[in-house]
Amino acid sequence: MAQPAPAQSLILMTVPQPESPAWWKEAVFYQVYPRSFADSNGDGIGDLPGITGKLDYLKRLGVDGLWLSPIYASPNDDNGYDISDYLAIGPEYGTLKDFQELSLGLKERGLRLILDQVLNHTSDEHEWFHQSRSSRANPRRDWYHWLDARTDGEGDRPVPPNNWRSVFGGSAWEWEASTQQYYLHCFSRKQPDLNWRNPDVRRALYEVLTTWATRGADGFRLDVINMIAKAEGYPDVPRPAGNTEPFLNLDEYGVNQPPIHEYLREMHDAVFAGRDLYSVGETWWVGAHNTIDFTGYHRRELNAAFYFYFHECASGQAHFENFSNLYEATRGKSWLTVTLGNHDSRRSLSRFGDPVNYRHASASLLATWLLTLPATPFLFQGEELGLTDHAYSTITDYRDIQTVNRYQELVASGVSPEKALAEVRVTSRDNGRSPIPWDATPGAGFSRGVPWLPIAGDHRPFHAAGQVDDPGSIFHAYARLLALRKQVKSLVYGDFTPIKESGQVLAYRRGEWGSHPAVCVILNWGSSAQPWPCPIPSADGILYANHGGIAYSHLRPWEAVIFTAARL
């Protein structure tokens, strides 16, 4: 990465702007996990009318669109990511009429909608799989990955075709005695992988996307989309020395396999070409070294990808380095995304901030980082309230299949239940899935009934109603930053130039864009005071300061400041 010039010379730099405007570059998306957002009918499960009832709240916050996690018919082995009917709404969420009312409510408020779509696998209760598993002669047999058992096994027990291991634990292969073959499932055994080599499968999935676009979707988040192509011949994964456990090396055998790019270009041409739709992929093992292959403007594949090492960073400096590397690799060639968390990860404030000593300051600093980069930001529900991880008291309180499976594996291996629970609490996806606290009522405004996942007691004091009424709340910090991003387009399109990218203090300049001024962003990403990394701005040049103003002698813990560069 190029070394930054001194702060004083950065003021005078004029860099040609490589980006052309697009709605999805300027948009800030808010991810709704429907089961945990708002329950309208008292059954304990969030639903579509519940979301519709909160649209004014989201409009007041200032986001530009929603990303909805799956709302389709599903037996919910993996909370909706196991779809049994792509075109039907899950009855727990409502009806197609409810979806149409939500879509209309969004359009009336000028908000966009992108839907989660799971094209790598279905539920084993999908009609396609019912037909596929019924007989080797069924025309849909080849819609999934069916293989014979190994012939080199010992005894009468069938042996899986290779040593691939499911992401959720155990073998990635499930034996079907009735037809004497295994089927592949990279996730739960109730989530059989679709065979994208079959053109009928691809055509059927493109029709699914087209149907939802017709119904009102403005785009799609494509679940594990770079897993749809599997390694030719299903080879065994070489085990590291001394490792006797089977596993799936996704990087080499389950992700980014040929002909992935041919599939994505075909999907683009069949669904997205000629339509103003946004496509963002959940893309494991995609980063600065290969993102252009998926998201380059010339590639005609995806508009954008999610970069998961943002969720794994241990420090602000690591965030900065990862983003800078991505920006250097993609500037003028593709458009980035930035996230701090989602339904599959821990709460961002617990992971990256200091919610005990500097809750407001660290939450608003994270918001400042997220909303001042040349990328499309994605917020996860509850981040605007400063919600944190929550440790449930027993394993029976958890609903996440990955958490429960891991707990059972640990106990079966001899780990005590207490230690097993302590381990899974840290990484459980249910950390981010606890229902949203809307008010101070007994059901926290989420539901009149028993919630599907217990409401975190330590979330209740930070409910939405109280924060909306409090101008000094984390909600209003997000709202001010979202408004500023809309007002100052250099925060979207301006060139990104590091000023300081080491240690606890991170600083960068966003170049001018048309009539919009260049701005500087200073982040003290830690709990100790630090010196200013550049000349201190005058008060009339400050656009945002999360401590309400600045201390001219030093940067306070978790201080975030945005100011016009011309005021340096």
Side-chain angles (χ1 to χ4, degrees):
M1 183 165 51
Q3 292 297 312
Q8 291 86 342
S9 65
L10 292 175
I11 309 166
L12 305 176
M13 292 175 62
T14 301
V15 180
Q17 304 298 333
E19 294 296 340
S20 57
W23 70 264
W24 42 268
K25 295 178 181 178
E26 299 181 19
V28 177
F29 287 102
Y30 181 101
Q31 184 191 355
V32 168
Y33 193 70
R35 296 181 73 83
S36 297
F37 195 64
D39 169 25
S40 70
N41 61 7
D43 66 355
I45 299 173
D47 48 39
L48 293 176
I51 299 169
T52 302
K54 300 299 183 183
L55 292 183
D56 287 338
Y57 166 87
L58 296 171
K59 181 68 175 178
R60 183 169 182 176
L61 177 62
V63 296
D64 303 290
L66 303 189
W67 153 25
L68 292 191
S69 290
I71 53 173
Y72 317 107
S74 167
N76 287 305
D77 187 61
D78 186 24
N79 284 4
Y81 285 88
D82 49 320
I83 298 173
S84 56
D85 188 340
Y86 282 107
L87 300 182
I89 300 292
E92 67 270 34
Y93 297 128
T95 64
L96 188 55
K97 182 173 182 278
D98 293 326
F99 174 80
Q100 292 165 342
E101 290 176 354
L102 171 60
S103 179
L104 179 61
L106 288 164
K107 287 178 171 53
E108 288 174 344
R109 293 165 178 80
L111 301 176
R112 302 277 187 164
L113 174 64
I114 62 173
L115 296 177
D116 230 319
Q117 278 292 355
V118 187
L119 307 183
N120 176 71
H121 49 265
T122 67
S123 166
D124 66 346
E125 297 183 29
H126 197 293
E127 179 58 27
W128 296 347
F129 191 68
H130 282 316
Q131 295 181 34
S132 183
R133 81 193 312 178
S134 66
S135 163
R136 290 197 186 196
N138 190 284
R140 286 205 166 117
R141 183 68 168 185
D142 192 47
W143 281 42
Y144 296 84
H145 300 266
W146 291 96
L147 268 70
D148 292 331
R150 282 188 188 271
T151 59
D152 57 354
E154 296 182 3
D156 296 330
R157 293 187 62 183
V159 178
N162 64 28
N163 64 354
W164 293 3
R165 186 173 174 85
S166 162
V167 173
F168 289 166
S171 173
W173 297 93
E174 185 74 9
W175 178 248
E176 284 281 313
S178 60
T179 57
Q180 294 290 291
Q181 278 191 316
Y182 282 93
Y183 69 82
L184 176 66
H185 60 92
C186 287
F187 295 89
S188 162
R189 64 179 179 81
K190 290 182 65 63
Q191 293 171 287
D193 283 45
L194 286 159
N195 179 14
W196 272 67
R197 297 189 189 101
N198 187 318
D200 291 335
V201 170
R202 303 199 301 272
R203 281 191 289 268
L205 294 174
Y206 303 157
E207 183 60 31
V208 167
L209 296 178
T210 300
T211 298
W212 283 106
T214 302
R215 290 175 175 179
D218 295 295
F220 301 96
R221 180 264 192 186
L222 300 167
D223 187 70
V224 293
I225 193 62
N226 58 333
M227 288 183 68
I228 58 178
K230 305 301 191 290
E232 188 69 33
Y234 308 96
D236 268 343
V237 177
R239 295 191 182 111
N243 187 312
T244 60
E245 291 297 318
F247 66 106
L248 172 60
N249 186 330
L250 291 169
D251 195 18
E252 294 183 16
Y253 295 95
V255 170
N256 302 341
Q257 292 294 304
I260 181 64
H261 297 294
E262 286 81 354
Y263 292 159
L264 293 179
R265 281 192 289 274
E266 181 183 79
M267 180 175 66
H268 174 275
D269 292 343
V271 178
F272 296 90
R275 297 184 176 99
D276 191 18
L277 298 173
Y278 179 56
S279 61
V280 57
E282 183 194 23
T283 46
W284 298 1
W285 282 276
V286 168
H289 67 292
N290 64 347
T291 187
I292 292 296
D293 295 338
F294 291 88
T295 64
Y297 295 142
H298 66 292
R299 298 286 294 184
R300 296 174 61 84
E301 295 187 24
L302 300 172
N303 290 127
F306 286 132
Y307 306 99
F308 285 92
Y309 45 58
F310 285 137
H311 298 181
E312 300 164 1
C313 291
S315 67
Q317 183 180 346
H319 275 282
F320 200 99
E321 290 172 353
N322 283 331
F323 186 85
S324 296
N325 290 337
L326 277 167
Y327 184 75
E328 290 296 320
T330 59
R331 180 177 179 271
K333 300 173 185 176
S334 75
W335 190 253
L336 298 171
T337 67
V338 62
T339 65
L340 289 173
N342 62 26
H343 64 288
D344 282 335
S345 67
R346 295 179 58 190
R347 283 283 175 188
S348 59
L349 183 55
S350 293
R351 182 72 178 88
F352 307 119
D354 184 350
V356 175
N357 301 301
Y358 296 98
R359 182 175 177 273
H360 184 284
S362 61
S364 54
L365 178 140
L366 294 175
T368 306
W369 164 254
L370 196 66
L371 296 171
T372 59
L373 296 172
T376 299
F378 285 78
L379 313 182
F380 181 57
Q381 64 181 40
E383 285 181 336
E384 80 282 8
L385 303 177
L387 300 187
T388 55
D389 287 349
H390 175 73
Y392 290 112
S393 58
T394 70
I395 193 63
T396 58
D397 287 329
Y398 287 90
R399 303 291 180 265
D400 172 31
I401 184 175
Q402 191 171 17
T403 299
V404 174
N405 284 357
R406 178 58 179 161
Y407 173 86
Q408 292 172 345
E409 281 185 349
L410 288 169
V411 171
S413 70
V415 176
S416 72
E418 294 77 16
K419 288 184 177 179
L421 182 60
E423 177 178 319
V424 300
R425 277 173 174 163
V426 175
T427 58
S428 176
R429 298 186 299 178
D430 284 342
N431 276 314
R433 298 178 181 183
S434 178
I436 295 294
W438 291 102
D439 58 35
T441 61
F446 168 72
S447 177
R448 301 185 304 275
V450 178
W452 74 281
L453 181 67
I455 296 171
D458 48 2
H459 289 178
R460 289 176 179 269
F462 307 112
H463 58 76
Q467 295 208 35
V468 168
D469 290 340
D470 177 8
S473 68
I474 294 172
F475 174 92
H476 281 284
Y478 269 88
R480 283 192 288 274
L481 286 161
L482 284 160
L484 184 63
R485 185 179 175 90
K486 288 181 175 65
Q487 295 161 7
V488 183
K489 289 296 175 65
S490 47
L491 287 173
V492 179
Y493 296 116
D495 205 54
F496 173 88
T497 307
I499 297 173
K500 187 177 188 298
E501 53 182 307
S502 62
Q504 184 173 302
V505 177
L506 310 176
Y508 46 98
R509 181 184 189 271
R510 300 302 311 279
E512 62 194 28
W513 176 267
S515 61
H516 297 271
V519 297
C520 286
V521 181
I522 311 295
L523 306 173
N524 181 13
W525 200 309
S527 298
S528 62
Q530 297 290 318
W532 279 83
C534 62
I536 300 172
S538 59
D540 61 345
I542 297 173
L543 301 175
Y544 176 77
N546 70 339
H547 282 272
I550 63 172
Y552 287 91
S553 58
H554 62 277
L555 288 170
R556 288 165 288 187
W558 296 97
E559 186 156 17
V561 184
I562 307 171
F563 56 95
T564 54
R567 299 289 183 175
L568 277 171

